[in-house]
Amino acid sequence: MKRLFLAFGLTLITFCAMAQSQDFKKAVAKYKNVASLTATATRTVHKAAVAKDKVVAGTLSVKKDGKVAIVNGKDALIMNGNAFTMKKGALKAKTNAATDSRYKTFHDVLEAIFNGGQTDLTKNSDVKIAKNGTNVVLTITPTSTKKLMFSSFIITIDGKAQEMRSIRLNQKGGSYIEYTFSGYKLGAPVDDKLFK
């Protein structure tokens, strides 16, 4: 009897994961055959101890083969294949998702979004996919024991419009950085210099 319940439980978990994967694939299907795109990216920095949020307009630029750049003024978050670069003014921090497990899942999720869901995310144990109305919400909770700047990443995709709407980087204590996206232009030209 115990084995029967265990088998049923595993089947139910597998079915739920498959359903979540299908919701995700439908929500990002629009990106499957898009070689490049641009959008407006608005960054909001919320500090729990400060009353007013800091809001800066910017751009999102994407090219096939894992190139994503979110640029807001002198600050940027750039993914070029496995290479990640964070720019804050004149300061630059670099890491590689192939060797840094803290960024591997974030890399896999961004790649899966912009290749139209062709990457299977159900194998990533630190990614939860849920449906919230017409939105698909991906929550990444890093399991790394290394000290992390962010406690979780939440990516919201508008399933009806098939567009990524926001990326929220949560910090401990209620602070966060959130990027919201609008005004997508699919097939817009994107300069490779952005990803360096």
Side-chain angles (χ1 to χ4, degrees):
M1 190 65 127
K2 232 179 192 180
R3 283 183 186 169
L4 183 62
F5 278 119
L6 183 61
F8 176 74
L10 288 173
T11 304
L12 187 61
I13 289 167
T14 303
F15 176 76
C16 289
M18 284 172 57
Q20 289 175 347
S21 180
Q22 289 306 314
D23 289 336
F24 172 70
K25 283 181 180 180
K26 285 179 191 171
V28 297
K30 184 182 198 174
Y31 298 129
K32 190 172 183 179
N33 297 311
V34 176
S36 64
L37 64 84
T38 60
T40 298
T42 303
R43 184 187 66 197
T44 301
V45 178
H46 173 79
K47 293 190 186 264
V50 179
K52 193 174 180 182
D53 292 345
K54 186 177 179 182
V55 180
V56 181
T59 58
L60 165 69
S61 301
V62 177
K63 281 186 95 169
K64 280 291 183 204
D65 302 322
K67 294 180 179 179
V68 179
I70 305 170
V71 180
N72 299 89
K74 293 181 179 179
D75 299 346
L77 174 61
I78 299 165
M79 181 177 96
N80 188 351
N82 282 318
F84 273 91
T85 305
M86 287 188 83
K87 294 179 184 177
K88 189 156 180 64
L91 301 174
K92 241 188 219 188
K94 292 187 174 192
T95 191
N96 192 307
T99 56
D100 189 338
S101 61
R102 299 174 300 171
Y103 287 86
K104 184 177 182 342
T105 303
F106 190 49
H107 166 274
D108 291 350
V109 169
L110 287 178
E111 189 173 62
I113 290 169
F114 294 116
N115 69 24
Q118 294 178 84
T119 305
D120 183 8
L121 293 177
T122 60
K123 295 174 185 175
N124 295 67
S125 60
D126 45 358
V127 178
K128 300 292 178 243
I129 303 170
K131 223 170 163 212
N132 184 0
T134 60
N135 290 342
V136 174
V137 180
L138 293 92
T139 303
I140 305 166
T141 308
T143 53
S144 172
T145 55
K146 293 179 184 177
K147 189 176 179 182
L148 294 170
M149 186 175 171
F150 303 108
S151 56
S152 66
F153 305 87
I154 298 173
I155 299 173
T156 303
I157 299 161
D158 181 335
K160 194 172 180 182
Q162 295 182 323
E163 293 178 347
M164 183 173 69
R165 285 289 173 236
S166 65
I167 299 175
R168 181 166 165 156
L169 313 171
N170 290 317
Q171 297 171 306
K172 290 179 181 174
S175 297
Y176 61 83
I177 298 169
E178 185 168 41
Y179 298 92
T180 55
F181 309 105
S182 60
Y184 278 87
K185 293 179 184 172
L186 305 184
V190 175
D191 192 337
D192 274 327
K193 289 178 186 173
L194 278 170
F195 309 103
K196 293 181 180 176

